[in-house]
Amino acid sequence: MNLFRTLRLSGSIGLILVIFWLAVALAGPALAPHPLGEIVDYDVFLPMSSTYPMGTDYLGRDVLSRILYGARFTITIGAAAAIFAGILGTALGIFAAVSSRMVDETLSRFMDALSAIPGKILALVMIAALGSSVALLIMIIGVSYTPGCYRIARSLAVNLNQMDFVQVARARGEGRFYLARVEIFPNMIHPMLTDVGLRFVWAVLLLSSLSFIGLGMQPPDADLGSLVRENISGLAEGAPAVLMPAVAIALLTIGVNLLIDSLRGQAKTATGEV
Amino acid sequence: MKSVLFLILRRIGTVLLTLFLVSMVVFSLSSLLPGDAAQQLLGQSATPEAVAALREVLGLDKPGHLRYLDWLRGLIVGDPGISLANDLPVAQLVAERLPRSLLLAGIAALVSVPLALTLGIASAMYGGTRVDRFLNTLTLTMVAIPEFLVATTLVLVFAVKLNWVSALSYAPPGASFGQFIAAYALPVLTLFFVLVAQMARMSRAAVLDQLSQPYVEMAVLKGASLPRVVLRHALPNAIGPIANAVALSLSYLLGGVIIVEVIFNYPGIASLMVDSVANRDMPLLQTCAMIFCAAYLLLVLIADICAIVSNPKLRT
Amino acid sequence: MSEHIKVSGLKVTAPTGDNDEVTIVDDVAFAIPRGEVLALIGESGSGKTTIALSLMGYARGGCRISSGSIRVGDTEVLSLDRSGLRDLRGRRVSYVAQSAAASFNPSKTIMAQVTEAVLIHGVASRKEAEIRAVELFRALSLPEPESIGSRYPHQVSGGQLQRLMAAMALITEPELVIFDEPTTALDVTTQIDVLLAFKRVIRERGITAVYVSHDLAVVAQMADHILVLNQGKVRELGKTAQVLKQPEDSYTQTLISAITPCRRDTGNEATTEQPLLEIRNLVAGYGRSDKNGMPAMPILKDVNLTILRGRTLGVIGESGSGKSTLARVVAGLLPAARGEVLLDGEPLPGTLAGRSKDQFRRIQIVFQNADTALNPSHSVAQVLGRPLTFYHGLKGNERERRIGAMLDLVKLPATVAGRRCGELSGGQKQRINLARALAADPELILCDEVTSALDTVVGAAILDLLVELRRELGVSYMFISHDISTVRSLCDDILVLYAGRGVEAGSRDTFQQPPFHPYTELLIDSVPELEQGWLERSRRPVAPVPLVDGVRDLELCPFLDRCPVRIAGTCDQLAPPRVVLSDGSEILCHHSEAELLLPPRDYAMAAQR
């Protein structure tokens, strides 16, 4: 593939990991050796073996199957939340940039206040108030990252808004909506996609942390973070049931990070920067 | 000099305004609770009279904005209410837990900052070389690893396999230095791991940004050596951005301590907050959230002041 | 031979995206005898800066000096190792960069930076270095030479910084000094001071120098030899007089003819005397307005002008004079604080929201920088099609056809329509930029420095195109520029702006010879001519004009601070009157026509009466 040749080694590793996890998210449950929740062995916390490639968990379930099911939750919720934040942040950012000063100031102040609440804290407060169903988790994590997206989108849009081509369109008599949609937005797509990619990594980490402290996904559903939590008592025995889901998360987030970093480096050399 | 003071005062003003807005956000979010705290506390079987009586005691019968003002006043005078879960004053619970969390975060920061800055600056100095690329990939990987993987791995290696330290970490008052180290080693190491990576990346970017400026090329063309170019020319201009990088990375600690306190059973304010979420103990939760936000804003404020003071355009 | 610097077979390559290299400087050879100045001249992309930097064994951003030989004295620069290069740079060869503002470290004092090379190379003690620096400050006619060193870069002006950078380069008494476009970023009236200062130190100290520039007229003043470059290759190398008078190479000839002042036939005879645009007592600026309607940061203060239908008004001024703000006000991008703008006798609403679609259509604006004026994510067809649809409701085939016609009008092939704006060259972009304005079918086009960002030859072609379009379409232009020779060659009427006030207005014939407003005179005298020895002959008073103390009144003459002929007691007390001179031009000055006709030194005496 052409993309592979142009990426550095780290980028290629990232790309492979991302493709792998996409496949797992799409086909994971179909590939799982055992159905969700099936207790396959009365021995709990079994080590790795050929029957159970990643051992068994605290109830004697197959860890590999649990991971394949859990990864789907982690990836879907993380991606949905990142996209939620990306769309909302971009829309509000452009809106602030082309609106009157007062609207911009008010919105920016409010977003500053939101972003002064560290993501995890904001998520905890919202979980306490609203609960933590899958839809709510997407919304809560999305909202936590919206101020960050907004800040980037607004600064991009404000810069673009100063550009001569927007001034020309304005002097032509174009309305605000046209300026935002046709002149400004198309030039923000690339940087915002990169930003959404990075926020996906953070969303996955936040979701896993929340589940790990027992405030994210609620049983019987389990994402990768919940798997670590429910098996934490096996840590003293060194069971793979604890480490494997955590390693799975790390492989997902590292993959995305490596790929995006490499793509960004590409974009830079393509525009002649060093 | 007058203008610097003015700028700093204005920054402080902005921070106070933001903190005020934050308090509104936190309060209104945590009042979104479907049903109410009185019903929650007494359970479904409680008589309506009992619920109404408790509502009055808790002040829940007042309109929202009055409750907010009461709460805000309480927060400012240091009396943020009574914890719903265990009937103790929130102030007392917080006063007991906060210093411990500060100690943990303080040690982690003290260990991480010097190493992170050294790594970041060195990496920028040898930008584009193999060393830089290796460090870049390494830190990129490190920031993507969840804290609990680091923590569990550390426990597995040092507590379970090697049995050097205990998996639980809390040194009681009067513990010896050795005990202290043993107790804090793993939590601090966990925080250190992600903190260093984050901070090194951000300070590298800050220095690299300066190194691409024309004045750096000018210094090279004067015959200045690489260390001179970086340390004498680029670094003084990077103080503001680096301070910002340090502040933002340290604010990561605020989230990081949550996981670390839970996993190591450390009785700090973060684990208190997690409990308050599980119990829906709103007065306690609100106070904890405000403490975290205030800490974050304080860090950002300090970074801003560093940037203002280090800039000769503002200083002179 | 006394060849002090000798370069041969120099080749520099730059990396491309896909691990390949492209040659940007190819087989360049020249020699410079001790104490002489060689100019490297060429347009953007000619490799002149790359060659200059390679004399220090330095290549920018991934570029590589791949072969050749560079000798400075007895040293082969290309065989030096890292520490050898460090010893060479700043000690034996030093560099004066184009943008002094960016090349000074903002967080260190000027003295620390000027003396740094001396201390790095251990040439002298810090104390002695500072003494040398002060001497150089004096030699370069810097104000307050004793104390200027203790300031920070942001506290001195651009022209001063440029001279300070020369001091920084000269302090180690190097064998070779590289001046890299050192006056390009400056206004002409500042440039001449800097050139005079440079010329003097070069002559007095017998410095061997390489002077990089795109401006032949500047080079004519500074250099003994000229090397003409085009796309990394040498086109011509010779003595300055020979290259200027008898250029052998065809490219050199194009360059010279592009900058030789020509009077473009404006074809204005057929036009009426009917005013298209009138501006009366215009005040505009940024920030909040006070109760008199005066903005906190006024940029334009009481500007009056008239553009007749079918004619071209040139607006000239240096950076900060408010000329771009004027265009923004007319376009409706910035509301006027006071005053009126009339289009065809009807008041034009100040804000965008107040204007009708037809009013928008009649006035179009073309910006300086075509790179930022075209949306990089749009295709040429999209850019040109939008005004056609927006103003004229064109769709489908009709629209396609008009796009083709517009491209034809600006002499671009129809195939360009499908390209993205980013893929075009600078000149092509500026043509599209112009075509977009024409697509609206406007009556007035505001041209804001439309040729400043272009190379001379490309810019000259755009000017010719503007003239031709006017003849064909009968549009009027407001042509904004900092370059008086361009304005004189193209415009029927000229308005000179200084610090937001119109100081002189008249037809272009009145700008051919005195009397002028003192600022106009300074402006005209400051434009270098393509002739050796012009700099020495320039009638410019050498001593800087002392500053005026005290609080400034907005009503006073805006040029007061820099005026070489101001009248103490009058100019700093009374508002200057508007005077109509016998040639029909109008100026804002206390001097009489007779005084303005005297040579400067004489009327400076007259002013002392």
Side-chain angles (χ1 to χ4, degrees):
Chain A
M1 221 169 111
N2 204 1
L3 190 54
F4 272 105
R5 219 176 308 146
T6 55
L7 290 171
R8 289 203 201 110
L9 175 66
S10 62
S12 307
I13 295 174
L15 185 59
I16 292 169
L17 284 172
V18 168
I19 292 173
F20 169 77
W21 283 110
L22 270 179
V24 168
L26 290 174
L31 299 173
H34 301 277
L36 188 66
E38 189 196 28
I39 293 174
V40 293
D41 203 303
Y42 290 104
D43 264 339
V44 297
F45 294 133
L46 281 178
M48 296 186 191
S49 66
S50 53
T51 356
Y52 309 117
M54 293 188 184
T56 60
D57 74 352
Y58 74 113
L59 289 178
R61 293 173 294 191
D62 176 43
V63 172
L64 176 62
S65 306
R66 301 278 294 163
I67 288 180
L68 288 174
Y69 277 96
R72 176 175 256 188
F73 276 114
T74 301
I75 294 171
T76 325
I77 295 178
I83 292 169
F84 177 98
I87 291 176
L88 191 59
T90 309
L92 290 176
I94 298 183
F95 175 70
V98 299
S99 293
S100 71
R101 225 186 125 133
M102 218 187 62
V103 174
D104 179 22
E105 283 277 313
T106 315
L107 197 56
S108 296
R109 268 282 158 264
F110 176 71
M111 285 295 180
D112 273 355
L114 267 190
S115 66
I117 310 176
K120 265 181 200 150
I121 308 298
L122 186 57
L124 285 181
V125 172
M126 284 192 283
I127 285 173
L130 302 168
S132 54
S133 67
V134 168
L136 278 173
L137 278 174
I138 292 175
M139 203 273 291
I140 286 169
I141 296 173
V143 167
S144 303
Y145 288 126
T146 301
C149 270
Y150 167 82
R151 187 185 291 200
I152 290 184
R154 181 184 167 276
S155 86
L156 280 170
V158 164
N159 280 340
L160 286 165
N161 198 25
Q162 305 293 331
M163 298 283 270
D164 289 345
F165 61 81
V166 180
Q167 298 296 327
V168 168
R170 186 165 284 145
R172 193 190 304 140
E174 302 282 6
R176 273 179 200 166
F177 184 63
Y178 175 88
L179 295 179
R181 186 174 56 89
V182 180
E183 300 287 347
I184 297 179
F185 176 67
N187 294 300
M188 295 172 58
I189 296 176
H190 271 277
M192 288 318 291
L193 279 180
T194 315
D195 186 63
V196 166
L198 291 177
R199 272 176 223 283
F200 167 74
V201 171
W202 296 340
V204 166
L205 290 175
L206 177 55
L207 171 70
S208 313
S209 303
L210 290 173
S211 297
F212 174 74
I213 55 180
L215 300 171
M217 292 285 287
Q218 298 304 317
D221 291 333
D223 70 343
L224 296 175
S226 333
L227 294 184
V228 183
R229 174 187 177 78
E230 63 190 24
N231 293 310
I232 194 79
S233 57
L235 185 60
E237 305 170 32
V242 195
L243 277 186
M244 282 306 147
V247 169
I249 297 170
L251 287 180
L252 169 64
T253 49
I254 290 170
V256 176
N257 252 2
L258 289 179
L259 178 64
I260 290 178
D261 184 66
S262 180
L263 287 177
R264 269 205 298 199
Q266 284 283 293
K268 268 190 195 164
T269 41
T271 55
E273 286 175 55
V274 195
Chain B
M1 231 24 232
K2 206 176 128 201
S3 72
V4 172
L5 207 64
F6 172 74
L7 283 172
I8 292 176
L9 286 176
R10 202 173 62 180
R11 280 304 307 161
I12 294 176
T14 318
V15 162
L16 288 178
L17 178 69
T18 311
L19 201 57
F20 171 69
L21 287 173
V22 163
S23 74
M24 292 213 284
V25 172
V26 165
F27 187 84
S28 43
L29 274 180
S30 50
S31 307
L32 288 175
L33 191 65
D36 69 51
Q39 187 81 57
Q40 180 97 22
L41 283 172
L42 296 174
Q44 291 302 321
S45 57
T47 61
E49 292 78 27
V51 173
L54 185 62
R55 282 174 65 100
E56 210 179 313
V57 172
L58 294 174
L60 295 178
D61 52 343
K62 291 195 215 162
H65 64 277
L66 286 183
R67 279 196 287 144
Y68 168 70
L69 288 178
D70 278 352
W71 173 74
L72 186 64
R73 202 197 48 223
L75 208 57
I76 293 169
V77 301
D79 174 25
I82 307 287
S83 158
L84 300 181
N86 46 17
D87 268 349
L88 287 169
V90 170
Q92 185 193 328
L93 288 169
V94 168
E96 195 180 305
R97 299 284 194 108
L98 185 59
R100 298 192 192 133
S101 290
L102 286 178
L103 181 65
L104 180 60
I107 300 174
L110 213 61
V111 184
S112 316
V113 174
L115 181 73
L117 291 187
T118 314
L119 274 181
I121 292 166
S123 187
M125 214 156 135
Y126 298 98
T129 62
R130 224 172 260 193
V131 179
D132 175 45
R133 243 183 269 165
F134 170 75
L135 280 176
N136 181 37
T137 310
L138 182 72
T139 53
L140 197 60
T141 308
M142 280 163 72
V143 292
I145 294 177
E147 304 91 345
F148 51 79
L149 175 57
V150 180
T152 45
T153 313
L154 289 175
V155 169
L156 199 59
V157 174
F158 294 104
V160 178
K161 293 268 150 76
L162 298 174
N163 215 1
W164 285 358
V165 290
S166 123
L168 296 182
S169 69
Y170 177 58
S176 74
F177 186 68
Q179 281 173 305
F180 186 84
I181 293 283
Y184 277 91
L186 295 190
V188 166
L189 210 55
T190 309
L191 290 172
F192 168 85
F193 189 80
V194 188
L195 196 54
V196 164
Q198 186 79 29
M199 214 182 303
R201 289 187 71 75
M202 291 176 79
S203 48
R204 169 182 179 269
V207 177
L208 268 187
D209 185 47
Q210 289 302 321
L211 287 179
S212 67
Q213 302 292 321
Y215 73 80
V216 166
E217 179 176 79
M218 194 67 224
V220 171
L221 292 179
K222 274 190 216 171
S225 61
L226 185 60
R228 187 182 176 100
V229 168
V230 174
L231 301 177
R232 303 278 283 269
H233 282 273
L235 217 47
N237 292 293
I239 289 177
I242 287 180
N244 197 34
V246 171
L248 288 181
S249 316
L250 288 183
S251 77
Y252 154 80
L253 268 180
L254 305 174
V257 286
I258 295 180
I259 302 301
V260 168
E261 289 189 7
V262 168
I263 209 166
F264 292 103
N265 270 325
Y266 184 88
I269 192 158
S271 52
L272 188 65
M273 183 174 179
V274 171
D275 291 343
S276 75
V277 175
N279 299 329
R280 296 201 154 187
D281 185 349
M282 288 306 170
L284 184 55
L285 173 66
Q286 289 162 343
T287 308
C288 292
M290 287 308 293
I291 289 172
F292 277 104
C293 296
Y296 171 78
L297 285 170
L298 188 66
L299 284 172
V300 174
L301 178 67
I302 293 171
D304 279 349
I305 292 177
C306 282
I308 291 173
V309 173
S310 72
N311 186 340
K313 275 191 199 170
L314 303 175
R315 201 172 58 211
T316 46
Chain C
M1 274 297 280
S2 61
E3 278 164 359
H4 182 46
I5 310 295
K6 190 162 172 55
V7 172
S8 57
L10 180 65
K11 182 173 171 182
V12 184
T13 54
T16 61
D18 35 349
N19 290 332
D20 214 1
E21 285 189 326
V22 53
T23 305
I24 53 171
V25 166
D26 196 13
D27 197 21
V28 167
F30 57 84
I32 315 173
R34 195 176 285 275
E36 299 202 359
V37 179
L38 170 81
L40 299 180
I41 191 147
E43 309 193 308
S44 52
S46 63
K48 52 191 191 302
T49 295
T50 310
I51 295 170
L53 287 172
S54 63
L55 291 171
M56 307 180 85
Y58 182 83
R60 272 188 188 147
C63 295
R64 196 167 61 85
I65 302 171
S66 53
S67 63
S69 150
I70 297 173
R71 299 196 73 84
V72 173
D74 297 327
T75 313
E76 171 56 56
V77 173
L78 298 185
S79 65
L80 291 174
D81 62 0
R82 221 177 266 185
S83 93
L85 282 174
R86 271 208 302 276
D87 293 340
L88 177 88
R89 293 172 183 167
R91 171 73 193 89
R92 297 180 57 198
V93 184
S94 63
Y95 183 69
V96 179
Q98 171 170 3
S99 165
S103 298
F104 270 94
N105 188 331
S107 70
K108 301 178 81 172
T109 61
I110 287 167
M111 185 56 90
Q113 299 186 60
V114 168
T115 54
E116 186 180 13
V118 174
L119 303 178
I120 290 174
H121 298 289
V123 177
S125 68
R126 178 182 298 273
K127 213 164 170 185
E128 205 196 315
E130 289 182 0
I131 293 170
R132 277 195 199 182
V134 173
E135 270 168 31
L136 277 166
F137 295 160
R138 201 168 280 132
L140 288 158
S141 341
L142 281 157
E144 298 166 44
E146 303 287 345
S147 64
I148 196 168
S150 61
R151 300 197 210 167
Y152 283 92
H154 68 275
Q155 295 169 317
V156 303
S157 76
Q160 290 167 3
L161 266 189
Q162 208 67 53
R163 281 179 273 169
L164 288 165
M165 175 135 39
M168 187 155 93
L170 295 173
I171 197 156
T172 51
E173 295 175 351
E175 297 164 39
L176 173 66
V177 183
I178 296 163
F179 293 92
D180 187 0
E181 302 250 21
T183 62
T184 306
L186 304 175
D187 283 315
V188 277
T189 55
T190 318
Q191 164 173 280
I192 186 168
D193 291 334
V194 176
L195 287 179
L196 278 167
F198 283 0
K199 179 91 194 190
R200 201 167 81 200
V201 288
I202 288 176
R203 202 190 307 113
E204 279 172 7
R205 301 185 174 222
I207 291 165
T208 311
V210 166
Y211 196 99
V212 177
S213 179
H214 70 285
D215 188 340
L216 265 173
V218 165
V219 159
Q221 314 312 317
M222 307 301 291
D224 303 302
H225 309 268
I226 296 181
L227 178 71
V228 182
L229 288 158
N230 183 227
Q231 301 189 332
K233 292 201 175 70
V234 176
R235 299 300 296 251
E236 183 157 4
L237 172 60
K239 288 246 175 226
T240 302
Q242 175 260 308
V243 173
L244 295 179
K245 293 270 153 47
Q246 292 116 20
E248 282 161 11
D249 182 77
S250 60
Y251 177 75
T252 318
Q253 288 159 3
T254 346
L255 267 188
I256 289 175
S257 70
I259 64 157
T260 309
C262 67
R263 191 186 162 99
R264 288 178 170 83
D265 178 26
T266 57
N268 62 354
E269 283 69 25
T271 58
T272 60
E273 290 292 298
Q274 184 192 357
L276 175 64
L277 184 84
E278 268 187 279
I279 292 179
R280 295 191 194 138
N281 308 100
L282 177 68
V283 175
Y286 300 92
R288 244 172 236 148
S289 298
D290 64 11
K291 48 184 182 297
N292 297 329
M294 206 64 185
M297 244 176 53
I299 306 292
L300 295 172
K301 304 149 199 162
D302 193 24
V303 172
N304 291 280
L305 63 84
T306 304
I307 301 179
L308 299 178
R309 196 172 273 281
R311 308 241 301 193
T312 299
L313 172 75
V315 177
I316 180 154
E318 51 198 45
S319 48
S321 63
K323 51 193 193 305
S324 291
T325 306
L326 184 59
R328 290 173 55 82
V329 172
V330 177
L333 293 169
L334 180 72
R338 277 195 294 193
E340 291 185 290
V341 181
L342 305 173
L343 182 65
D344 243 351
E346 285 181 29
L348 207 50
T351 58
L352 289 169
R355 295 192 181 183
S356 71
K357 198 176 242 190
D358 196 53
Q359 284 170 329
F360 281 127
R361 179 189 61 77
R362 292 165 70 182
I363 301 176
Q364 294 291 311
I365 187 164
V366 179
F367 282 109
Q368 164 177 14
N369 195 336
D371 286 331
T372 57
L374 300 177
N375 194 329
S377 61
H378 290 179
S379 71
V380 170
Q382 265 174 298
V383 168
L384 296 183
R386 180 63 190 172
L388 294 172
T389 310
F390 186 74
Y391 294 123
H392 307 295
L394 294 189
K395 289 198 180 72
N397 284 341
E398 184 68 5
R399 185 171 122 142
E400 298 299 309
R401 208 180 49 71
R402 282 295 289 164
I403 291 173
M406 286 299 137
L407 288 173
D408 194 45
L409 211 51
V410 295
K411 304 194 165 46
L412 286 175
T415 48
V416 169
R419 310 256 302 269
R420 293 227 161 248
C421 296
E423 300 165 13
L424 306 176
S425 73
Q428 287 175 321
K429 280 182 195 158
Q430 200 56 287
R431 280 165 197 266
I432 299 295
N433 206 356
L434 206 56
R436 169 171 57 189
L438 294 171
D441 195 12
E443 291 165 27
L444 174 65
I445 300 181
L446 311 169
C447 300
D448 188 358
E449 300 262 15
V450 286
T451 58
S452 321
L454 300 174
D455 287 326
T456 330
V457 176
V458 183
I462 295 280
L463 293 179
D464 291 335
L465 178 65
L466 284 175
V467 171
E468 197 181 317
L469 288 172
R470 192 175 66 169
R471 210 165 24 230
E472 280 174 31
L473 307 172
V475 293
S476 307
Y477 297 117
M478 181 195 277
F479 188 86
I480 293 167
S481 176
H482 68 279
D483 178 7
I484 187 124
S485 37
T486 312
V487 168
R488 275 195 299 198
S489 94
L490 185 80
C491 303
D492 307 301
D493 304 293
I494 297 174
L495 169 71
V496 182
L497 275 188
Y498 186 82
R501 310 265 296 269
V503 295
E504 178 161 3
S507 74
R508 75 162 157 185
D509 295 324
T510 67
F511 281 81
Q512 299 300 340
Q513 62 232 344
F516 299 123
H517 184 279
Y519 172 64
T520 314
E521 175 139 356
L522 173 66
L523 197 61
I524 291 175
D525 285 350
S526 302
V527 181
E529 283 172 21
L530 193 54
E531 166 183 330
Q532 280 182 291
W534 168 85
L535 188 62
E536 288 80 353
R537 284 196 307 277
S538 65
R539 296 188 294 159
R540 197 165 159 67
V542 179
V545 182
L547 290 175
V548 177
D549 297 331
V551 187
R552 298 295 312 278
D553 189 330
L554 275 181
E555 300 288 309
L556 292 181
C557 174
F559 190 51
L560 181 60
D561 275 337
R562 289 172 61 195
C563 185
V565 295
R566 68 169 174 242
I567 310 161
T570 305
C571 293
D572 50 5
Q573 299 292 330
L574 301 171
R578 284 210 176 274
V579 181
V580 178
L581 302 177
S582 56
D583 61 5
S585 64
E586 197 181 282
I587 63 167
L588 191 69
C589 190
H590 284 288
H591 280 286
S592 69
E593 183 162 353
E595 282 167 341
L596 294 174
L597 282 166
L598 296 170
R601 266 174 244 283
D602 297 346
Y603 83 111
M605 300 298 283
Q608 301 300 324
R609 70 203 149 142

